[in-house]
Amino acid sequence: AVATEVADPMPLTAIALFNPQGGYASYLLPAAFILILQQTLLIGVGLAGTLSRDGPPPPATPLARVLGKLLAYLALEAFIVPFCLVAVPFLYGIPRIGGLFPLLAYAVLFVLAVGALGLVVAGTFRTSYAVQLTMAAIGMPLFFLSGFSWPAEAMPTPILWLARLVPSTSAIDGLVQIGQMGASLADLRQPAFILFALAIGYGGVAVALEARRGQGSPLR
């Protein structure tokens, strides 16, 4: 006993600050829920866009059509996001210490960025089958790109820049910090700005695709 105390006089006792149970579900599920939200929204928007492509465009400007679709997706996600990010973690017994308002406010940026990306997907792919197969196949790579299951410090710089183009990367970073770590919106200025920039950028591409569709409609 004396020799043991001499070799290790101050034994280390490690307690995870935000995962005191050390559970795998408490670590993995909050990020997985966010990725599921993204992939389901991308598939839904992509399918809706490809199935309605053959009809004539509505009598509105491309910007108005994109904004109207984004608001419609935001209205739908107003019920889905609280269920997945608040109710389901409660049912699974996952601790959540963050405030509800910062969580939902940050989720608005996430939904707008994903919705705009979904419109780009709908304007790029030709068939609904291509949308389903592609979005289902890239789900796991996107999870690794998020830097949650694989440390971002171990990723090459070009991969990190590529990961920032995916809304789930900044969404997982921000929503997990708010929900499981109690961060405020002021602590997440950088990922929030990235989501805002993605929403504007993908929204601009979606407007261009809508304008191109309107120009090509008389030829059909």
Side-chain angles (χ1 to χ4, degrees), residues 84-190:
C84 291
L85 299 185
V86 180
V88 175
F90 174 77
L91 296 176
Y92 275 90
I94 299 174
R96 189 180 68 85
I97 61 177
L100 182 61
F101 174 76
L103 188 74
L104 297 180
Y106 194 90
V108 169
L109 293 176
F110 169 58
V111 172
L112 291 177
V114 177
L117 178 58
L119 293 177
V120 175
V121 170
T124 303
F125 290 91
R126 294 183 176 274
T127 64
S128 59
Y129 299 105
V131 173
Q132 296 180 65
L133 293 176
T134 303
M135 294 300 105
I138 65 175
M140 188 58 66
L142 293 182
F143 187 74
F144 282 101
L145 284 177
S146 66
F148 196 78
S149 61
W150 188 270
E153 292 79 9
M155 296 182 186
T157 302
I159 300 298
L160 289 176
W161 283 102
L162 177 64
R164 291 300 179 186
L165 297 177
V166 184
S168 59
T169 302
S170 298
I172 290 175
D173 185 17
L175 291 174
V176 169
Q177 289 191 48
I178 293 175
Q180 275 64 47
M181 301 180 182
S184 64
L185 292 176
D187 300 324
L188 303 171
R189 288 187 294 268
Q190 180 179 357

